[in-house]
Amino acid sequence: MTACDFPALLQAFFTDRLLQQRRASAHTVAAYRNTFRLLLRFAAARLGRVPSRLALADLDAAFLGEFLDHLERERGNSARSRNARLAALHAFFRYVALTEPAHALHCQRVLAIPSKRFERGIVEFLVEEEIAALLDAPDSATWIGRRDRALLLVAVQTGLRVSELTALRRQDVTLGTGAHVRCHGKGRKLRCTPLRRDVTRVLEAWLRERPPSPDEPVFPSSRGGRISEDAVEHLVAKHAAAARRRCPSLAGKRVTPHTLRHTAAMQLLRHGVDRSVIALWLGHESIETTQMYLHADLRLKEQALARTAPSGLGPGRFRPDDALLSFLESL
């Protein structure tokens, strides 16, 4: 394979495989693009060749292993992020194995690189007092403050992903009887999420300040266009910092837009909503994804413990009856 074949395969992977055959979403294409952007820069620095002169043979399993280690050690990526980059590499080399069977052994070695296991932390969410402090943080006397309060309230009640929040347009919001918002989630699934009356009133007041065009973003940037996901991350962090002065329990929590999504799920769970309904509400692919919320709520576990009866047994200690067992017990 010549040096020019790798660039051709990579371009075909994006244009033919992802866009034409699979009709991958813009988020998937962007994630894969970013992976190969990092890989090409790493390869250019290590091999001393511009990306357009790289050959497929340069990207063997050992070299890609070095790249993944570089992501963790030098860029500070977590094991979860490393696995996401590896998934993009696997997708490309599966395509190469089908397109160029002569290089199937090379691809097989790359595909054998395993995902790294990682510890799953406890889901972080906000309780009622913390939600109230966060929603009171924006300054309602300003245009941006009213926008931020409406955005935070919708996020906490609906559990929309940050990409779904930023994509909301006027035509996606229905007020009045049966108030709800519509969004396209992962897997191009269209779902409708109902709105509480208090959320409807705040959203209705906010939309009166917006132009009536159906394509207008519900939560615009200061320049009037669609707000970016980075801007939402920033405003959530800013208002969480302000809320910590009023609610000290927020000091130990890292509040992000995804924390608000977890908060919406925990609110539903604590009010007795079935896990299958929560999965539909959040747009999860499987009901098993909602299992993590059962592990996160200590109050539910305490309620389950309160229903159990004490065993009546007193404390005891194992006492070995053999010298060798006594020695091992003392270690």
Side-chain angles (χ1 to χ4, degrees), residues 251-274:
K253 295 185 177 181
R254 179 174 176 265
V255 183
T256 67
H258 214 68
T259 307
L260 306 184
R261 178 170 165 83
H262 292 325
T263 299
M266 293 304 299
Q267 290 287 309
L268 294 172
L269 184 64
R270 286 185 163 193
H271 285 84
V273 178
D274 188 78

Side-chain angles (χ1 to χ4, degrees), residues 244-304:
R244 288 186 182 98
R245 294 192 290 268
R246 172 184 168 183
C247 186
S249 63
L250 281 170
K253 295 185 177 181
R254 179 174 176 265
V255 183
T256 67
H258 214 68
T259 307
L260 306 184
R261 178 170 165 83
H262 292 325
T263 299
M266 293 304 299
Q267 290 287 309
L268 294 172
L269 184 64
R270 286 185 163 193
H271 285 84
V273 178
D274 188 78
R275 283 194 303 133
S276 59
V277 178
I278 298 176
L280 290 172
W281 187 286
L282 298 180
H284 284 161
E285 189 69 26
S286 169
I287 187 177
E288 296 304 320
T289 310
T290 62
Q291 187 74 22
M292 60 182 177
Y293 298 116
L294 292 176
H295 296 286
D297 195 350
L298 184 61
R299 191 174 70 176
L300 291 177
K301 297 176 183 178
E302 290 172 344
Q303 291 173 354

Side-chain angles (χ1 to χ4, degrees), residues 199-220:
V199 181
T200 302
R201 288 193 296 269
V202 171
L203 198 53
E204 188 174 18
W206 163 245
L207 289 178
R208 281 198 294 266
E209 302 186 40
R210 302 289 302 134
S213 173
D215 290 327
E216 281 291 319
V218 174
F219 304 114

Side-chain angles (χ1 to χ4, degrees), residues 8 90 96 109 122 276 283-284 300 310:
H90 280 172
V96 173
R109 293 193 181 102
I122 298 296
S276 59
H284 284 161
L300 291 177

Side-chain angles (χ1 to χ4, degrees), residues 51-89:
S52 58
R53 300 304 300 172
L54 290 174
L56 189 67
D58 296 326
L59 307 179
D60 57 12
F63 183 80
L64 295 178
E66 293 178 9
F67 166 67
L68 295 172
D69 290 340
H70 158 78
L71 294 179
E72 289 190 274
R73 289 197 306 264
E74 300 180 32
R75 292 185 60 86
N77 288 178
S78 65
R80 190 190 296 267
S81 297
R82 175 194 185 274
N83 292 342
R85 303 299 186 194
L86 179 59
L89 297 176

Side-chain angles (χ1 to χ4, degrees), residues 1-317:
M1 177 167 284
T2 66
C4 295
D5 287 327
F6 167 68
L9 282 170
L10 186 59
Q11 292 178 37
F13 170 68
F14 278 94
T15 59
D16 183 47
R17 184 67 160 185
L18 293 183
L19 296 177
Q20 184 174 348
Q21 295 180 10
R22 293 189 56 191
R23 292 188 60 204
S25 69
H27 295 289
T28 299
V29 174
Y32 285 15
R33 176 204 62 201
N34 293 338
T35 296
F36 281 96
R37 181 185 293 165
L38 292 171
L39 174 62
L40 295 180
R41 289 175 179 170
F42 175 79
R46 287 294 179 92
L47 303 177
R49 290 201 298 274
V50 296
S52 58
R53 300 304 300 172
L54 290 174
L56 189 67
D58 296 326
L59 307 179
D60 57 12
F63 183 80
L64 295 178
E66 293 178 9
F67 166 67
L68 295 172
D69 290 340
H70 158 78
L71 294 179
E72 289 190 274
R73 289 197 306 264
E74 300 180 32
R75 292 185 60 86
N77 288 178
S78 65
R80 190 190 296 267
S81 297
R82 175 194 185 274
N83 292 342
R85 303 299 186 194
L86 179 59
L89 297 176
H90 280 172
F92 170 69
F93 280 94
R94 278 194 295 268
Y95 170 73
V96 173
L98 293 173
T99 307
E100 299 288 341
H103 299 278
L105 182 59
H106 176 88
C107 297
Q108 187 176 1
R109 293 193 181 102
V110 174
L111 294 173
I113 300 175
S115 297
K116 180 171 285 189
R117 302 194 66 170
F118 55 89
E119 294 183 1
R120 297 182 181 272
I122 298 296
V123 172
E124 203 156 47
F125 62 96
L126 307 183
V127 297
E128 294 290 348
E129 298 80 7
E130 296 165 344
I131 295 172
L134 180 64
L135 295 177
D136 286 342
D139 183 5
S140 297
T142 65
W143 180 88
I144 289 182
R146 292 190 294 274
R147 179 204 66 184
D148 291 356
R149 185 169 186 270
L151 187 151
L152 292 172
L153 188 57
V154 170
V156 168
Q157 195 252 292
T158 63
L160 295 181
R161 299 178 179 91
V162 62
S163 59
E164 297 165 350
L165 280 170
T166 59
L168 282 179
R169 298 169 296 173
R170 284 290 300 262
Q171 64 186 10
D172 299 324
V173 179
T174 299
L175 301 175
T177 304
H180 64 274
V181 293
R182 295 181 301 276
C183 70
H184 285 273
K186 283 186 176 180
R188 293 191 178 88
K189 294 191 295 291
L190 176 66
R191 73 180 191 276
C192 296
T193 306
L195 299 173
R196 293 197 312 258
R197 291 184 179 179
D198 60 319
V199 181
T200 302
R201 288 193 296 269
V202 171
L203 198 53
E204 188 174 18
W206 163 245
L207 289 178
R208 281 198 294 266
E209 302 186 40
R210 302 289 302 134
S213 173
D215 290 327
E216 281 291 319
V218 174
F219 304 114
S221 66
S222 57
R223 297 184 178 181
R226 173 175 166 176
I227 192 172
S228 68
E229 295 182 17
D230 288 341
V232 176
E233 293 267 1
H234 174 73
L235 72 87
V236 171
K238 179 182 71 173
H239 295 309
R244 288 186 182 98
R245 294 192 290 268
R246 172 184 168 183
C247 186
S249 63
L250 281 170
K253 295 185 177 181
R254 179 174 176 265
V255 183
T256 67
H258 214 68
T259 307
L260 306 184
R261 178 170 165 83
H262 292 325
T263 299
M266 293 304 299
Q267 290 287 309
L268 294 172
L269 184 64
R270 286 185 163 193
H271 285 84
V273 178
D274 188 78
R275 283 194 303 133
S276 59
V277 178
I278 298 176
L280 290 172
W281 187 286
L282 298 180
H284 284 161
E285 189 69 26
S286 169
I287 187 177
E288 296 304 320
T289 310
T290 62
Q291 187 74 22
M292 60 182 177
Y293 298 116
L294 292 176
H295 296 286
D297 195 350
L298 184 61
R299 191 174 70 176
L300 291 177
K301 297 176 183 178
E302 290 172 344
Q303 291 173 354
L305 180 63
R307 296 189 181 99
T308 62
S311 63
L313 298 177
R317 179 176 174 81

